[in-house]
Structure formats: structure tokens, C-alpha cells
Amino acid sequence: MRTLEELTRPNVWRLKPYSSARDEYNGAAASVFLDANENPYNMPHNRYPDPMQRELKKELSKIKKVRPEHIFLGNGSDEAIDLVFRAFCEPRIDNVVAIDPTYGMYQVCAEVNDVEYRKVLLDENFRFSADKLLAAADEHTKLIFLCSPNNPTGNDLLRSEIERIIREFDGLVILDEAYNDFSEAPSFLEELDKYPNLIVLQTFSKAWGCAAIRLGMAFASQEIISIFSKIKYPYNVNQLTQKQAIEMLHRYYEIERWVKTLKEERGNLEEEFAKLPCTVKMFPSDANFFLVRVTDAVKIYNYLVGEGIIVRNRNSVSLCGNCLRVTVGTRNENERLIEALRKYKV
Ligand SMILES: *Cc1c(COP(=O)(O)O)cnc(C)c1O
């Protein structure tokens, strides 16, 4: 691996972060706070939130078994995705490599930050080759993006290939595990200490059922997390979100129940889809959604909209011609979808 200093943009490496009132004094003992120009009325929403989300990280640390110094929290994973570009990629000079197809935000953030985005096509079974990804990288490649289970294809990437990328690439590897809760594959969080160039992304938006509160997590070495903390907005995770997330962490057994139910429902849905006349090919899923090739994705998508049912049309995505991406819902929602598709005339 190149040193972190070599991988970081020089301006970011040199940056002295903005120091907020809550950064400079964060002891708990004081009872009169006249340091942040807040309004003393309208408790509890009058005070700035903890910029480092200490209590939330402490609770999260217990469940994820990762020390708080290795955790960054952001306004969705999307904030962490944007931060890796801003921290490491020099616009118009550096580039990043990613599998294709995958989650669209990596490319959007690359383009916003004026960083070249190099796509490497998966094979027809949506598997990737470490050799091909590494061959697409050069001395200006700072980041490689992997997503497992991948979106929109739904499959886990092969663990041995992921490990090869992490070991052989001399830049940083971003492994997006947004859907790992639904997979049988163990998370790479357990490997964090072994790999100083690994950044694992997770989110409260999927298994945790909290897309509305906007909370994403990045796990990495303490040095990488310090860089994120240095360039993030001081109060990037608001108080309501921190509070709600702590409440959810106290109810993690419920999340386990949801995940179990959703995996069973995924099995039922897949079984029913396989029998539908409009199904051409099912792709195996390790997530809370699956990809299915149908006779005519555009027609079927529009037909379902007419029935008040929205799925995702992935027809124009690489390798996903005539494919729909279907999120697993409640038993009732899934039955409505199947019933509508049974009525559809191929
Ligand atoms: C849904 C999703 C996320 C979550 O993004 P948030 O900003 O945390 O809501 C991240 N990565 C992938 C691949 C996703 O599909």
C-alpha cells in the first residue's frame, strides 16, 4: 500500500479543521453553556448535537464489535462515498475503478468531484475478476469500489477475489456492505485490523429500517477515520438522528427478526416468480431484493405502475437488459405483486 499521506490530497493532509464550540469543550460537568450562541429556550432542540456522536458510536461499537475510533458516521452512506472522493482524489488527475453494474452513487460522486470513473464489466453471472480490476488501475488510481451483495444484481461477490483486491491494490478499497445483513457471507468488519487500506460501508437505511433518519457508517483504520472527521461538516449527524439510532441499537433483536422474515419472503417471492409466464431468468440474491429478467421490462414496469405497484426498471443498466429489480416487501405487498403479474398477458 502507498502511505496514507501519498493517497491523501495534499490540501486535505495539511488542513487544520474548523473547531466548533462543542469540539473545544465537550466535558459533561458544566451546567451553564454560554459558548455556542445557542438559544437557551426550546429544550432539547436548542443545543448543537455532539459533532463526534460519542454516545451513538459507543453503542454501535458494542454491536459491531469495532472500536469507536474506527467508526465514521455520516448523513447516509452517501456522505461517506462523497468524502472518500474529497479526501483522496485530486480532480482531473486521480481516478477510481469500480465494478459495473453497481450502485449509481459512486459514479455520480466521481463526476461531481471531477474524478475519472473507470468501469470494469462483471461477467454474465455478475462475478468480477480481481485481475481485470487491477489491470484497469494505474499510478493515479486512488480507490477501488466493490459492493457486496451488489446492487442491482443482488449477489455476493466472491470473497477470495475481494481479498485479492485488498491485498494486491496499493490504494484504498471501498467495500459497500449495505445489504450484508441479508447475506450468509460474514462481514469484512472482522478483517478491519488486518487491512489498513480497507473502508467498509454499512447503513441504517436497509436492514435497520431507518432510511428516513439518514445514517451511514464507514469503518476503517483510525488514521482514515481521522481524515474523514477532519473534513466533514461539524454537525453532520443531527440530534434527532443520533437519538433514534441509539433507540434502534437497543432493539437490535427486532432487526434480526425483520431480516429473518424478509429472507423467508425473498424465498417465497423467488419461488412464485419462477412460475410466472413473464419471467425469463431469475438471478440468485443475497440481499433484500432480487433481479429478474422478464419478457419485456418496460411494458411490465408500466403495467405494474398502472396497478399501483412500483418496482425498479433496470433495463438500461449494463448486463441488465429487460431486468426489473424487485424489493422484498411484506407478505401482503408481495402477494399483490404476484397476483398482478399472474394477470399480465405475455
Ligand atoms: C441503499 C444503498 C446504500 C445506502 O445509502 P444511504 O445513503 O445510507 O441511504 C448504500 N450503498 C448501496 C449499494 C445501496 O444500495
Side-chain angles (χ1 to χ4, degrees), residues 76-78 103 106 147 151 176 178-179 203 205-206 214-216:
S77 316
D78 292 344
Y103 186 45
Y106 315 142
C147 182
N151 179 1
D176 191 338
Y179 300 99
T203 178
S205 298
K206 308 290 157 62
R214 309 305 302 129
L215 186 63

Side-chain angles (χ1 to χ4, degrees), residues 164-328:
R164 273 198 56 209
I165 294 278
I166 301 171
R167 274 200 305 266
E168 293 179 27
F169 179 49
D170 65 356
L172 303 176
V173 178
I174 322 297
L175 177 61
D176 191 338
E177 291 190 336
Y179 300 99
N180 178 263
D181 305 81
F182 302 102
S183 162
E184 304 307 312
S187 163
F188 268 80
L189 273 193
E190 297 162 29
E191 316 289 323
L192 214 54
D193 288 337
K194 217 161 84 190
Y195 299 123
N197 63 335
L198 175 63
I199 300 173
V200 175
L201 303 183
Q202 295 187 2
T203 178
F204 272 70
S205 298
K206 308 290 157 62
W208 287 86
C210 285
I213 74 172
R214 309 305 302 129
L215 186 63
M217 304 165 261
F219 303 91
S221 74
Q222 197 171 338
E223 292 72 29
I224 292 175
I225 297 300
S226 304
I227 293 175
F228 292 161
S229 302
K230 192 159 89 159
I231 64 175
K232 76 182 186 71
Y233 287 160
Y235 304 111
N236 62 327
V237 179
N238 73 68
Q239 182 58 39
L240 303 174
T241 295
Q242 292 190 40
K243 184 165 173 292
Q244 182 61 28
I246 290 167
E247 241 168 74
M248 292 308 295
L249 289 168
H250 290 151
R251 297 197 281 145
Y252 73 93
Y253 49 89
E254 248 181 279
I255 283 80
E256 289 175 354
R257 265 210 326 267
W258 291 336
V259 167
K260 185 166 172 287
T261 305
L262 288 170
K263 287 204 281 194
E264 286 164 10
E265 285 300 324
R266 178 180 76 202
N268 296 338
L269 251 186
E270 285 172 333
E271 208 173 295
E272 293 303 320
F273 257 82
K275 294 186 235 164
L276 291 171
C278 65
T279 295
V280 173
K281 183 176 162 74
M282 307 276 314
F283 296 97
S285 167
D286 302 292
N288 66 332
F289 63 86
F290 60 89
L291 197 67
V292 54
R293 178 160 289 129
V294 292
T295 47
D296 188 329
V298 174
K299 262 197 192 156
I300 294 174
Y301 174 81
N302 288 328
Y303 163 75
L304 287 173
V305 169
E307 297 289 308
I309 300 169
I310 315 300
V311 297
R312 198 85 199 268
N313 181 6
R314 299 284 75 186
N315 181 47
S316 51
V317 171
S318 319
L319 303 177
C320 298
N322 270 327
C323 286
L324 299 175
R325 193 191 70 189
V326 180
T327 307
V328 179

